[in-house]
Amino acid sequence: MESLATVIRYLDDDGQACHELPLWAHEMEPLLECYRWMVLTRLFDQKAIALQRTGQCGTYPSSLGQEAISVSLGQAMEAEDIFVPYYRDHGTQLMRGCGMHELLLYWGGDERGSAGGPAQDFPICVPIATQCGHAVGAARALQLQNKPQAVVCTLGDGASSKGDFLEALNLAGVWQLPVVFVLNNNQWAISVSRQQQCGATALALKGIGAGIPSLQVDGNDTIAMMDEVTRALERARSGGGATLIEAISYRLSDHTTADDASRYRPDDEVQQAWKREPIARLKQFLMRQGAWSDALEQQWQEHCQHAVAAAVKHYLEMPEQPPEAMFDYLYADWPSVLDGQLQTFAERRQRRLGE
């Protein structure tokens, strides 16, 4: 565990097997399931950006290029596991039961968007790396209760430079916690490149320093991601402790819709990254296996377009909540000491409406 082996991958950039596949990957249905979700996630992502550009949604972080990571997590996790997401995990959230209209509500500034998915999952975390401490706390609770569940905590490469992440890793290693950290190394923390963030040759080395099994996986290779996440989750659930997976990918989009990546990122770097993108790669593999076809692709694209359109309609037709609703989600039990603040807020709003 003192050093890392090479980056784990089973498919090359053209979707051809470059190593002997795991036994489960000879069955096409799990991979077809992943592919269908990846396509749906990308179409949802495109629509969410369009809604923001037309003033119908707030600032939005695209998941373009990381679909294999998100969907592999969604496929490998069990319903009872706990997901602690960061802000670019739309694919996993959709697979765990969160509705597309709920994701749009969240990014539209409506707290009702945090209610989607399993009750034990955490809401989207926008602050950088703070969710890592929350994940460790949840994992410690599972351990104390002797429950055979695992926690999955996702973060970006920028978050790996924060103390919150390193402190969480340390506790996960010392206490042998049932948590899997999936670090999406998409090469850019807003305008700061991976090379400017950390002098280590691999971000996964930080896990080794905490005594945690750590590895680098090709995050655009669905088979490699599925295999390693499944293995790490089984290890966590059986009492074997934490794992850090550095999923190497590339952010093909702007950081958020408030960003313009063309101002700091070389065009040729982006063009090269498109040649390794995950959806085309898995599609090529499935078509070579005879498990997918142009006709199936057209049918699925049409199905996804209808599903996304229905979700957008649902989102746009949701009645707006009054501003006072933001108080509703702060406390499990409303503290009466805030009654006066709430009343003052409501009265001021009414006065403004009357002006």
Side-chain angles (χ1 to χ4, degrees):
M1 204 168 68
E2 289 76 16
S3 62
L4 295 172
T6 56
V7 177
I8 298 168
R9 66 183 337 208
Y10 290 100
L11 298 180
D12 66 15
D13 293 348
D14 296 322
Q16 301 216 51
C18 53
H19 294 288
E20 185 174 348
L21 299 179
L23 283 178
W24 66 266
H26 292 275
E27 299 291 332
M28 291 297 105
E29 189 49 43
L31 292 172
L32 285 168
E33 183 78 359
C34 286
Y35 180 76
R36 296 186 193 105
W37 279 106
M38 288 163 71
V39 171
L40 178 62
T41 301
R42 183 165 293 187
L43 290 175
F44 165 78
D45 195 67
Q46 292 170 351
K47 190 63 182 178
I49 292 172
L51 289 170
Q52 193 280 331
R53 299 299 191 210
T54 53
Q56 299 174 91
C57 186
T59 301
Y60 173 80
S62 172
S63 59
L64 183 64
Q66 75 160 61
E67 294 89 351
I69 300 172
S70 292
V71 168
S72 297
L73 294 179
Q75 187 81 331
M77 291 179 71
E78 294 182 356
E80 296 77 16
D81 291 331
I82 299 174
F83 186 44
V84 185
Y86 83 129
Y87 47 78
R88 218 180 290 280
D89 283 316
H90 320 307
T92 316
Q93 288 190 287
L94 292 175
M95 290 184 75
R96 289 182 65 73
C98 185
M100 285 184 278
H101 72 285
E102 290 171 312
L103 285 179
L104 293 173
L105 280 173
Y106 179 88
W107 293 110
D110 191 320
E111 290 289 349
R112 290 173 293 182
S114 293
Q120 78 274 16
D121 283 5
F122 282 52
I124 297 167
C125 184
V126 174
I128 307 300
T130 56
Q131 77 276 19
C132 301
H134 304 158
V136 162
R140 179 64 169 161
L142 292 178
Q143 186 183 57
L144 290 172
Q145 297 171 72
N146 199 28
K147 290 185 175 178
Q149 298 163 247
V151 177
V152 172
C153 175
T154 55
L155 63 148
D157 47 280
S160 72
S161 298
K162 300 283 286 184
D164 307 61
F165 171 63
L166 298 172
E167 292 161 9
L169 272 185
N170 193 58
L171 284 176
V174 169
W175 290 340
Q176 296 286 293
L177 297 178
V179 56
V180 178
F181 295 99
V182 179
L183 195 173
N184 177 3
N185 178 2
N186 64 23
Q187 312 302 322
W188 288 90
I190 310 184
S191 59
V192 180
S193 69
R194 154 71 179 87
Q195 290 73 24
Q196 291 174 287
Q197 293 177 57
C198 178
T201 55
L203 300 180
L205 289 169
K206 299 181 181 186
I208 291 177
I212 294 174
S214 304
L215 53 151
Q216 285 185 298
V217 180
D218 185 337
N220 288 355
D221 180 343
T222 311
I223 295 176
M225 280 301 302
M226 270 276 291
D227 200 53
E228 295 303 334
V229 170
T230 300
R231 199 189 313 275
L233 282 170
E234 289 173 350
R235 182 170 175 274
R237 295 189 198 104
S238 62
T243 302
L244 170 61
I245 295 175
E246 178 187 353
I248 299 175
S249 66
Y250 193 89
R251 169 165 59 80
L252 292 169
S253 65
D254 297 326
H255 183 264
T256 68
T257 49
D259 175 44
D260 177 6
S262 66
R263 298 179 62 184
Y264 55 81
R265 204 167 54 179
D267 289 341
D268 59 341
E269 181 181 295
V270 180
Q271 291 170 9
Q272 289 302 313
W274 269 107
K275 296 177 182 177
R276 301 188 295 274
E277 69 99 353
I279 293 184
R281 200 158 152 186
L282 182 57
K283 179 183 176 182
Q284 289 171 346
F285 173 77
L286 292 171
M287 293 191 82
R288 285 195 185 95
Q289 304 301 310
W292 197 248
S293 65
D294 290 336
L296 289 172
E297 177 73 20
Q298 182 176 349
Q299 290 173 17
W300 186 246
Q301 288 278 348
E302 291 173 356
H303 168 81
C304 292
Q305 294 284 3
H306 288 307
V308 171
V312 170
K313 183 173 184 292
H314 189 177
Y315 161 64
L316 295 176
E317 289 179 350
M318 287 281 285
E320 290 186 8
Q321 289 191 308
E324 291 88 337
M326 65 181 170
F327 289 92
D328 296 342
Y329 305 95
L330 295 175
Y331 302 95
D333 299 308
W334 176 253
S336 58
V337 70
L338 295 180
D339 286 345
Q341 288 188 35
L342 178 58
Q343 183 177 351
T344 300
F345 178 81
E347 289 172 353
R348 287 179 176 174
R349 190 171 78 87
Q350 284 301 321
R351 282 200 297 273
R352 277 196 294 271
L353 289 174
E355 290 172 354

